[in-house]
Amino acid sequence: MARTPLISGNWKMNLNHFEAIQLVQKLSYELRNHDYDKVEVSVHPPFTDLRSVQTVIDADRMLFGLGAQNCHAETSGAFTGEVSPAMLQKMDVDFVIVGHSERRALFGETNEIVAAKALAVATHEMTPIVCVGETLQERESGEAESVVEAQVLGSLASLKGEKLTKTVVAYEPVWAIGTGVTASASDAQQMCAHIRSVIETIKKSAAEEVRIQYGGSVNAANAGELMSMPDIDGALVGGASLDAASFARVVSFQDT
Ligand code: 13P
């Protein structure tokens, strides 16, 4: 089955809402309508920018989706400083990244927490982008596949039926994030194929449908080769998504 690649820009904790508006306007100018023929695109600004970006996307009928970088698993309540999936849904957010390695490493997010967030996102009719990936130490000690397998099984455990098939998994090896060191296309393909085989053990029919992105130092120069791999269905882009021209070149990878 043909899976439409999803190219997502994770801005992380960068750009205030004025800068965010400028970036999406530039991005919309850089991208041509035919760029969206073969791929889906999403931008993931910080929470404080979401409303501004949503307004611009709506007003100018921009064709990319709106994404968040995180959310809480509960719908409302005494969770000072948190943002709920219901609030994001109300703002027409399409995608929510959950379990990014920075959140797992710096904010103590376990597979159980990630699974609860993924379910909350899917329940609010948004698409979770569930991140998994091994550290350098885990790769060097030959544990990469088993670590990623445990993350996939644990983080997707809450999702059944359509909620599972619509989920996006992002394979982001920790050692490739923000380092300029990309996984080779064949290593990335091997792990993404492994992830698909793990999903097959959860629900056979879901494996062919779930989109698996690669993330970690993706740029215009390496995007084409990575995304030509049979099990890689797009990219989760950090640094290169902060520059409209660079991100647009990643999005139009099929032309390069
Ligand atoms: P970089 O593209 O900057 O390596 O970041 C990857 C990432 O963490 C996207 O979520």
Side-chain angles (χ1 to χ4, degrees), residues 8-12 97 100-102 131 170 172 176-181 214-219 236-241:
S8 306
N10 174 12
W11 299 1
K12 308 194 179 184
I97 298 169
H100 190 279
S101 66
E102 287 148 17
C131 301
E172 296 206 305
I177 294 178
T179 57
V181 181
Y214 167 79
S217 299
V218 172
N219 57 38
L236 184 53
V237 186
S241 72

PDB file of all heavy atoms in Angstrom, residues 8-12 97 100-102 131 170 172 176-181 214-219 236-241, ligand 1:
ATOM      1  N   SER A   8       7.817  16.625   8.905  1.00  0.00           N
ATOM      2  CA  SER A   8       7.415  17.471  10.028  1.00  0.00           C
ATOM      3  C   SER A   8       8.595  18.279  10.527  1.00  0.00           C
ATOM      4  O   SER A   8       9.694  17.753  10.690  1.00  0.00           O
ATOM      5  CB  SER A   8       6.898  16.587  11.179  1.00  0.00           C
ATOM      6  OG  SER A   8       5.879  15.728  10.715  1.00  0.00           O
ATOM      7  N   GLY A   9       8.342  19.555  10.784  1.00  0.00           N
ATOM      8  CA  GLY A   9       9.380  20.436  11.327  1.00  0.00           C
ATOM      9  C   GLY A   9       9.172  20.630  12.826  1.00  0.00           C
ATOM     10  O   GLY A   9       8.177  21.232  13.232  1.00  0.00           O
ATOM     11  N   ASN A  10      10.078  20.081  13.611  1.00  0.00           N
ATOM     12  CA  ASN A  10      10.021  20.245  15.070  1.00  0.00           C
ATOM     13  C   ASN A  10      10.915  21.429  15.441  1.00  0.00           C
ATOM     14  O   ASN A  10      12.131  21.318  15.413  1.00  0.00           O
ATOM     15  CB  ASN A  10      10.506  18.950  15.744  1.00  0.00           C
ATOM     16  CG  ASN A  10      10.617  19.088  17.261  1.00  0.00           C
ATOM     17  OD1 ASN A  10      10.135  20.061  17.839  1.00  0.00           O
ATOM     18  ND2 ASN A  10      11.247  18.108  17.893  1.00  0.00           N
ATOM     19  N   TRP A  11      10.277  22.535  15.771  1.00  0.00           N
ATOM     20  CA  TRP A  11      11.044  23.749  16.045  1.00  0.00           C
ATOM     21  C   TRP A  11      11.693  23.734  17.429  1.00  0.00           C
ATOM     22  O   TRP A  11      12.489  24.612  17.747  1.00  0.00           O
ATOM     23  CB  TRP A  11      10.148  24.988  15.936  1.00  0.00           C
ATOM     24  CG  TRP A  11       9.532  25.214  14.590  1.00  0.00           C
ATOM     25  CD1 TRP A  11       9.663  24.432  13.461  1.00  0.00           C
ATOM     26  CD2 TRP A  11       8.694  26.306  14.208  1.00  0.00           C
ATOM     27  NE1 TRP A  11       8.950  24.972  12.418  1.00  0.00           N
ATOM     28  CE2 TRP A  11       8.347  26.127  12.852  1.00  0.00           C
ATOM     29  CE3 TRP A  11       8.192  27.426  14.887  1.00  0.00           C
ATOM     30  CZ2 TRP A  11       7.528  27.024  12.171  1.00  0.00           C
ATOM     31  CZ3 TRP A  11       7.372  28.319  14.202  1.00  0.00           C
ATOM     32  CH2 TRP A  11       7.050  28.115  12.855  1.00  0.00           C
ATOM     33  N   LYS A  12      11.291  22.772  18.262  1.00  0.00           N
ATOM     34  CA  LYS A  12      11.796  22.700  19.650  1.00  0.00           C
ATOM     35  C   LYS A  12      11.564  24.052  20.339  1.00  0.00           C
ATOM     36  O   LYS A  12      10.585  24.736  20.014  1.00  0.00           O
ATOM     37  CB  LYS A  12      13.259  22.254  19.663  1.00  0.00           C
ATOM     38  CG  LYS A  12      13.456  20.963  18.846  1.00  0.00           C
ATOM     39  CD  LYS A  12      14.764  20.290  19.066  1.00  0.00           C
ATOM     40  CE  LYS A  12      14.810  19.014  18.225  1.00  0.00           C
ATOM     41  NZ  LYS A  12      16.018  18.223  18.423  1.00  0.00           N
ATOM     42  N   ILE A  97       3.616  15.583  18.698  1.00  0.00           N
ATOM     43  CA  ILE A  97       4.786  14.737  18.957  1.00  0.00           C
ATOM     44  C   ILE A  97       4.710  14.281  20.412  1.00  0.00           C
ATOM     45  O   ILE A  97       4.464  15.100  21.309  1.00  0.00           O
ATOM     46  CB  ILE A  97       6.088  15.548  18.743  1.00  0.00           C
ATOM     47  CG1 ILE A  97       6.212  16.024  17.284  1.00  0.00           C
ATOM     48  CG2 ILE A  97       7.319  14.723  19.140  1.00  0.00           C
ATOM     49  CD1 ILE A  97       7.337  17.040  17.057  1.00  0.00           C
ATOM     50  N   HIS A 100       9.353  12.494  22.558  1.00  0.00           N
ATOM     51  CA  HIS A 100      10.629  12.875  21.937  1.00  0.00           C
ATOM     52  C   HIS A 100      11.766  12.507  22.892  1.00  0.00           C
ATOM     53  O   HIS A 100      11.605  12.582  24.113  1.00  0.00           O
ATOM     54  CB  HIS A 100      10.632  14.381  21.639  1.00  0.00           C
ATOM     55  CG  HIS A 100      11.799  14.791  20.794  1.00  0.00           C
ATOM     56  ND1 HIS A 100      13.045  15.004  21.334  1.00  0.00           N
ATOM     57  CD2 HIS A 100      11.916  14.991  19.459  1.00  0.00           C
ATOM     58  CE1 HIS A 100      13.879  15.316  20.347  1.00  0.00           C
ATOM     59  NE2 HIS A 100      13.220  15.312  19.204  1.00  0.00           N
ATOM     60  N   SER A 101      12.920  12.153  22.354  1.00  0.00           N
ATOM     61  CA  SER A 101      14.021  11.686  23.231  1.00  0.00           C
ATOM     62  C   SER A 101      14.439  12.770  24.231  1.00  0.00           C
ATOM     63  O   SER A 101      14.893  12.450  25.326  1.00  0.00           O
ATOM     64  CB  SER A 101      15.222  11.251  22.399  1.00  0.00           C
ATOM     65  OG  SER A 101      15.772  12.356  21.734  1.00  0.00           O
ATOM     66  N   GLU A 102      14.259  14.052  23.842  1.00  0.00           N
ATOM     67  CA  GLU A 102      14.593  15.110  24.801  1.00  0.00           C
ATOM     68  C   GLU A 102      13.630  15.078  25.981  1.00  0.00           C
ATOM     69  O   GLU A 102      14.028  15.335  27.122  1.00  0.00           O
ATOM     70  CB  GLU A 102      14.591  16.477  24.093  1.00  0.00           C
ATOM     71  CG  GLU A 102      15.807  16.621  23.182  1.00  0.00           C
ATOM     72  CD  GLU A 102      15.594  17.467  21.943  1.00  0.00           C
ATOM     73  OE1 GLU A 102      14.620  18.240  21.888  1.00  0.00           O
ATOM     74  OE2 GLU A 102      16.415  17.350  21.016  1.00  0.00           O
ATOM     75  N   CYS A 131       7.833   9.102  19.252  1.00  0.00           N
ATOM     76  CA  CYS A 131       9.271   9.019  18.964  1.00  0.00           C
ATOM     77  C   CYS A 131       9.938   7.882  19.734  1.00  0.00           C
ATOM     78  O   CYS A 131       9.646   7.652  20.909  1.00  0.00           O
ATOM     79  CB  CYS A 131       9.966  10.314  19.365  1.00  0.00           C
ATOM     80  SG  CYS A 131       9.322  11.751  18.513  1.00  0.00           S
ATOM     81  N   ALA A 170       8.197   7.950  14.857  1.00  0.00           N
ATOM     82  CA  ALA A 170       9.415   8.618  14.379  1.00  0.00           C
ATOM     83  C   ALA A 170      10.620   7.903  14.982  1.00  0.00           C
ATOM     84  O   ALA A 170      10.761   7.855  16.215  1.00  0.00           O
ATOM     85  CB  ALA A 170       9.413  10.082  14.776  1.00  0.00           C
ATOM     86  N   GLU A 172      14.175   8.176  15.799  1.00  0.00           N
ATOM     87  CA  GLU A 172      15.195   9.214  15.940  1.00  0.00           C
ATOM     88  C   GLU A 172      16.324   8.685  16.824  1.00  0.00           C
ATOM     89  O   GLU A 172      16.230   8.747  18.059  1.00  0.00           O
ATOM     90  CB  GLU A 172      14.598  10.459  16.588  1.00  0.00           C
ATOM     91  CG  GLU A 172      13.519  11.134  15.786  1.00  0.00           C
ATOM     92  CD  GLU A 172      13.414  12.628  16.123  1.00  0.00           C
ATOM     93  OE1 GLU A 172      13.246  12.971  17.297  1.00  0.00           O
ATOM     94  OE2 GLU A 172      13.533  13.431  15.199  1.00  0.00           O
ATOM     95  N   ALA A 176      22.052  10.894  16.609  1.00  0.00           N
ATOM     96  CA  ALA A 176      21.963  11.626  15.337  1.00  0.00           C
ATOM     97  C   ALA A 176      21.239  12.965  15.497  1.00  0.00           C
ATOM     98  O   ALA A 176      21.183  13.752  14.560  1.00  0.00           O
ATOM     99  CB  ALA A 176      21.234  10.764  14.301  1.00  0.00           C
ATOM    100  N   ILE A 177      20.691  13.215  16.683  1.00  0.00           N
ATOM    101  CA  ILE A 177      19.876  14.423  16.877  1.00  0.00           C
ATOM    102  C   ILE A 177      20.773  15.623  17.167  1.00  0.00           C
ATOM    103  O   ILE A 177      21.527  15.634  18.142  1.00  0.00           O
ATOM    104  CB  ILE A 177      18.866  14.217  18.031  1.00  0.00           C
ATOM    105  CG1 ILE A 177      17.850  13.141  17.642  1.00  0.00           C
ATOM    106  CG2 ILE A 177      18.170  15.532  18.369  1.00  0.00           C
ATOM    107  CD1 ILE A 177      16.837  12.814  18.719  1.00  0.00           C
ATOM    108  N   GLY A 178      20.705  16.599  16.281  1.00  0.00           N
ATOM    109  CA  GLY A 178      21.429  17.853  16.491  1.00  0.00           C
ATOM    110  C   GLY A 178      22.943  17.713  16.411  1.00  0.00           C
ATOM    111  O   GLY A 178      23.674  18.611  16.813  1.00  0.00           O
ATOM    112  N   THR A 179      23.427  16.593  15.888  1.00  0.00           N
ATOM    113  CA  THR A 179      24.871  16.349  15.860  1.00  0.00           C
ATOM    114  C   THR A 179      25.472  16.539  14.476  1.00  0.00           C
ATOM    115  O   THR A 179      26.692  16.601  14.330  1.00  0.00           O
ATOM    116  CB  THR A 179      25.177  14.892  16.274  1.00  0.00           C
ATOM    117  OG1 THR A 179      24.453  14.014  15.394  1.00  0.00           O
ATOM    118  CG2 THR A 179      24.755  14.618  17.711  1.00  0.00           C
ATOM    119  N   GLY A 180      24.629  16.576  13.458  1.00  0.00           N
ATOM    120  CA  GLY A 180      25.143  16.614  12.083  1.00  0.00           C
ATOM    121  C   GLY A 180      25.523  15.220  11.589  1.00  0.00           C
ATOM    122  O   GLY A 180      25.894  15.038  10.440  1.00  0.00           O
ATOM    123  N   VAL A 181      25.417  14.226  12.473  1.00  0.00           N
ATOM    124  CA  VAL A 181      25.710  12.835  12.077  1.00  0.00           C
ATOM    125  C   VAL A 181      24.382  12.139  11.788  1.00  0.00           C
ATOM    126  O   VAL A 181      23.604  11.890  12.705  1.00  0.00           O
ATOM    127  CB  VAL A 181      26.429  12.070  13.222  1.00  0.00           C
ATOM    128  CG1 VAL A 181      26.749  10.643  12.796  1.00  0.00           C
ATOM    129  CG2 VAL A 181      27.664  12.807  13.666  1.00  0.00           C
ATOM    130  N   TYR A 214      11.955   9.087   9.739  1.00  0.00           N
ATOM    131  CA  TYR A 214      13.313   9.099  10.291  1.00  0.00           C
ATOM    132  C   TYR A 214      13.610  10.522  10.750  1.00  0.00           C
ATOM    133  O   TYR A 214      13.240  11.494  10.077  1.00  0.00           O
ATOM    134  CB  TYR A 214      14.360   8.662   9.242  1.00  0.00           C
ATOM    135  CG  TYR A 214      15.752   8.989   9.741  1.00  0.00           C
ATOM    136  CD1 TYR A 214      16.387   8.166  10.671  1.00  0.00           C
ATOM    137  CD2 TYR A 214      16.383  10.182   9.369  1.00  0.00           C
ATOM    138  CE1 TYR A 214      17.620   8.510  11.204  1.00  0.00           C
ATOM    139  CE2 TYR A 214      17.623  10.527   9.891  1.00  0.00           C
ATOM    140  CZ  TYR A 214      18.232   9.684  10.814  1.00  0.00           C
ATOM    141  OH  TYR A 214      19.435  10.036  11.349  1.00  0.00           O
ATOM    142  N   GLY A 215      14.282  10.651  11.881  1.00  0.00           N
ATOM    143  CA  GLY A 215      14.712  11.968  12.349  1.00  0.00           C
ATOM    144  C   GLY A 215      16.120  11.902  12.898  1.00  0.00           C
ATOM    145  O   GLY A 215      16.530  10.884  13.480  1.00  0.00           O
ATOM    146  N   GLY A 216      16.850  12.990  12.734  1.00  0.00           N
ATOM    147  CA  GLY A 216      18.229  13.067  13.229  1.00  0.00           C
ATOM    148  C   GLY A 216      19.116  13.628  12.154  1.00  0.00           C
ATOM    149  O   GLY A 216      19.535  12.910  11.238  1.00  0.00           O
ATOM    150  N   SER A 217      19.359  14.961  12.229  1.00  0.00           N
ATOM    151  CA  SER A 217      20.229  15.649  11.276  1.00  0.00           C
ATOM    152  C   SER A 217      19.789  15.487   9.819  1.00  0.00           C
ATOM    153  O   SER A 217      20.613  15.372   8.921  1.00  0.00           O
ATOM    154  CB  SER A 217      21.691  15.202  11.461  1.00  0.00           C
ATOM    155  OG  SER A 217      22.135  15.538  12.770  1.00  0.00           O
ATOM    156  N   VAL A 218      18.463  15.482   9.616  1.00  0.00           N
ATOM    157  CA  VAL A 218      17.961  15.453   8.237  1.00  0.00           C
ATOM    158  C   VAL A 218      18.149  16.844   7.635  1.00  0.00           C
ATOM    159  O   VAL A 218      17.873  17.859   8.275  1.00  0.00           O
ATOM    160  CB  VAL A 218      16.462  15.066   8.197  1.00  0.00           C
ATOM    161  CG1 VAL A 218      15.891  15.223   6.784  1.00  0.00           C
ATOM    162  CG2 VAL A 218      16.259  13.642   8.693  1.00  0.00           C
ATOM    163  N   ASN A 219      18.631  16.882   6.396  1.00  0.00           N
ATOM    164  CA  ASN A 219      18.748  18.156   5.676  1.00  0.00           C
ATOM    165  C   ASN A 219      18.491  17.907   4.185  1.00  0.00           C
ATOM    166  O   ASN A 219      18.215  16.770   3.784  1.00  0.00           O
ATOM    167  CB  ASN A 219      20.132  18.795   5.927  1.00  0.00           C
ATOM    168  CG  ASN A 219      21.260  17.864   5.516  1.00  0.00           C
ATOM    169  OD1 ASN A 219      21.157  17.158   4.515  1.00  0.00           O
ATOM    170  ND2 ASN A 219      22.334  17.847   6.295  1.00  0.00           N
ATOM    171  N   LEU A 236      11.298  13.685  10.472  1.00  0.00           N
ATOM    172  CA  LEU A 236      11.055  14.626  11.571  1.00  0.00           C
ATOM    173  C   LEU A 236      12.324  15.466  11.652  1.00  0.00           C
ATOM    174  O   LEU A 236      13.404  14.968  11.962  1.00  0.00           O
ATOM    175  CB  LEU A 236      10.785  13.854  12.870  1.00  0.00           C
ATOM    176  CG  LEU A 236      10.419  14.670  14.110  1.00  0.00           C
ATOM    177  CD1 LEU A 236       9.248  15.616  13.842  1.00  0.00           C
ATOM    178  CD2 LEU A 236      10.031  13.737  15.265  1.00  0.00           C
ATOM    179  N   VAL A 237      12.163  16.741  11.308  1.00  0.00           N
ATOM    180  CA  VAL A 237      13.316  17.603  11.058  1.00  0.00           C
ATOM    181  C   VAL A 237      13.429  18.640  12.167  1.00  0.00           C
ATOM    182  O   VAL A 237      12.466  19.346  12.452  1.00  0.00           O
ATOM    183  CB  VAL A 237      13.137  18.322   9.693  1.00  0.00           C
ATOM    184  CG1 VAL A 237      14.390  19.108   9.336  1.00  0.00           C
ATOM    185  CG2 VAL A 237      12.784  17.327   8.599  1.00  0.00           C
ATOM    186  N   GLY A 238      14.590  18.749  12.782  1.00  0.00           N
ATOM    187  CA  GLY A 238      14.814  19.761  13.812  1.00  0.00           C
ATOM    188  C   GLY A 238      15.426  21.003  13.210  1.00  0.00           C
ATOM    189  O   GLY A 238      14.752  21.834  12.592  1.00  0.00           O
ATOM    190  N   GLY A 239      16.750  21.131  13.353  1.00  0.00           N
ATOM    191  CA  GLY A 239      17.478  22.337  12.945  1.00  0.00           C
ATOM    192  C   GLY A 239      17.114  22.862  11.559  1.00  0.00           C
ATOM    193  O   GLY A 239      16.868  24.065  11.397  1.00  0.00           O
ATOM    194  N   ALA A 240      17.050  21.969  10.578  1.00  0.00           N
ATOM    195  CA  ALA A 240      16.794  22.429   9.198  1.00  0.00           C
ATOM    196  C   ALA A 240      15.377  22.951   9.009  1.00  0.00           C
ATOM    197  O   ALA A 240      15.077  23.583   7.993  1.00  0.00           O
ATOM    198  CB  ALA A 240      17.086  21.301   8.201  1.00  0.00           C
ATOM    199  N   SER A 241      14.493  22.737   9.993  1.00  0.00           N
ATOM    200  CA  SER A 241      13.122  23.252   9.841  1.00  0.00           C
ATOM    201  C   SER A 241      13.002  24.698  10.312  1.00  0.00           C
ATOM    202  O   SER A 241      11.958  25.324  10.153  1.00  0.00           O
ATOM    203  CB  SER A 241      12.117  22.372  10.597  1.00  0.00           C
ATOM    204  OG  SER A 241      12.221  22.539  11.997  1.00  0.00           O
TER     205      SER A 241
HETATM  206  P1  13P B   1      17.865  17.692  14.176  1.00  0.00           P
HETATM  207  O1  13P B   1      17.221  17.614  12.815  1.00  0.00           O
HETATM  208  O2  13P B   1      18.249  19.089  14.565  1.00  0.00           O
HETATM  209  O3  13P B   1      18.967  16.703  14.325  1.00  0.00           O
HETATM  210  O4  13P B   1      16.740  17.277  15.249  1.00  0.00           O
HETATM  211  C1  13P B   1      16.042  16.102  15.065  1.00  0.00           C
HETATM  212  C2  13P B   1      14.913  16.071  16.015  1.00  0.00           C
HETATM  213  O5  13P B   1      15.102  15.891  17.202  1.00  0.00           O
HETATM  214  C3  13P B   1      13.568  16.287  15.483  1.00  0.00           C
HETATM  215  O6  13P B   1      12.601  15.945  16.415  1.00  0.00           O
END
